[in-house]
Amino acid sequence: MAEGPVPFWRRLTNSAGLRDPDRNETATNATPFSPPVDRVSRPAAAPEPAETKVVDSEALLDIWFAREQDDVIVWRSCLPGASAAEIATRLSLVPAAFLADDVDVLQLAENILEIEYGASGTTPPDRRRQEVLRIADQVRATGSAAARRGAALVLWLWASDDLNGPLSVPLSPVYYGRAIAALSFRLAAVVDPAEWVRTADRRDEAARTFLLWSGHLPAGEDEATARSILAMRDSLEQNTALAQTMAEQEHRLQVTKRLQEARAREAAARYSNE
């Protein structure tokens, strides 16, 4: 008898180094996550592997800042979505394997995106799929275990429909790339993704950050309310040193934007005079 199609979760285990998810083993009740060992106390005979090297928070933030995201525009373009509590619940249900230091986010992304876009090689390249895969590869290239875990949690939020049913409001696929970048490079730079799962405030922060950069307002909240609550949670803004770096980046972005607008006005004026 012909074999049926390989189940989704089996494909993940085969290609991404994960074992079958156990509904009774999520990251919240699995063996507690062990943080990276301090380099000073690590024995010289056991050098840190390249694939789990410690990456400076500012290095991850530099990748995020290079995207030059304008959060004013992002907030104004948000549409109503699922509630922050619903996303937070999905985070709490993540299989523990998604928080492994060596989780293969590129393989994971390829398998999860296959549901949305079809198998690669059988369908024409999709711009949004390619963007997500490019960012997943960028995450892998950083060598940051925190960035990998952050990306894996975003991928779990996309894949969780297959195991836990659809969200009350479907996520817009338009901003998949932006969402995975925000949690991998912005949030993971200041809060270890393990805390997004185990700590209520950080779980709410991650859920709200995910909704924002996915292009959604939390259900039942207007822009002002959502902005206010996320601002209270925002670990980056509350980190004095890194907040200064972010403020400088935002200032540069605004200066660049004003220069671009001035050049556009000058070009329009020249065109009208010709």
Side-chain angles (χ1 to χ4, degrees):
M1 186 173 65
E3 294 184 359
V6 179
F8 168 69
W9 286 105
R10 173 60 66 184
R11 284 189 281 112
L12 288 189
T13 62
N14 290 344
S15 66
L18 303 174
R19 57 185 173 78
D20 286 331
D22 182 343
R23 289 179 181 272
N24 296 318
E25 182 185 10
T26 62
T28 53
N29 60 24
T31 303
F33 169 74
S34 299
V37 178
D38 190 334
R39 289 188 177 210
V40 174
S41 60
R42 184 178 300 221
E48 187 176 44
E51 65 272 19
T52 57
K53 65 183 178 183
V54 174
V55 177
D56 187 88
S57 293
E58 291 193 13
L60 294 180
L61 287 174
D62 283 344
I63 299 173
W64 172 248
F65 292 149
R67 295 178 60 86
E68 298 187 342
Q69 300 285 174
D70 190 330
D71 64 345
V72 173
I73 295 175
V74 173
W75 277 111
R76 289 177 180 171
S77 63
C78 281
L79 299 174
S83 69
E86 186 175 2
I87 300 298
T89 297
R90 289 295 174 94
L91 283 172
S92 71
L93 295 173
V94 63
F98 278 70
L99 286 175
D101 280 355
D102 58 352
V103 61
D104 190 334
V105 293
L106 188 56
Q107 288 288 338
L108 201 56
E110 288 175 343
N111 280 277
I112 289 172
L113 291 175
E114 184 176 325
I115 298 175
E116 181 79 28
Y117 300 109
S120 59
T122 63
T123 57
D126 181 279
R127 177 177 58 81
R128 292 170 187 156
R129 173 195 175 101
Q130 293 305 313
E131 181 188 13
V132 171
L133 294 179
R134 178 183 61 78
I135 293 170
D137 192 43
Q138 191 176 22
V139 167
R140 185 172 64 173
T142 66
S144 167
R148 279 198 297 273
R149 292 193 297 271
L153 281 174
V154 174
L155 293 167
W156 158 252
L157 289 173
W158 298 341
S160 61
D161 284 5
D162 191 73
L163 197 64
N164 299 105
L167 294 170
S168 58
V169 179
L171 295 167
S172 169
V174 175
Y175 302 114
Y176 274 6
R178 191 174 71 183
I180 195 170
L183 273 75
S184 301
F185 303 132
R186 188 188 190 280
L187 186 54
V190 287
V191 181
D192 192 290
E195 293 303 310
W196 307 357
V197 176
R198 298 201 176 96
T199 306
D201 284 354
R202 300 287 69 80
R203 188 159 58 245
D204 186 61
E205 176 186 9
R208 290 176 176 279
T209 301
F210 174 76
L211 283 168
L212 168 63
W213 296 103
S214 294
H216 295 288
L217 292 174
E221 298 179 13
D222 58 17
E223 180 187 334
T225 301
R227 291 190 72 156
S228 176
I229 296 174
L230 182 54
M232 289 189 297
R233 295 274 193 258
D234 196 334
S235 297
L236 180 53
E237 291 188 359
Q238 293 171 12
N239 184 306
T240 304
L242 294 178
Q244 179 61 33
T245 300
M246 183 174 68
E248 292 171 356
Q249 168 62 23
E250 290 176 344
H251 175 69
R252 287 194 295 270
L253 180 60
Q254 290 303 315
V255 169
T256 301
K257 184 178 178 181
R258 287 195 293 270
L259 287 172
Q260 291 172 341
E261 291 172 346
R263 288 170 185 151
R265 287 194 298 268
E266 292 172 0
R270 285 196 301 271
Y271 179 79
S272 62
N273 291 331
E274 291 177 354

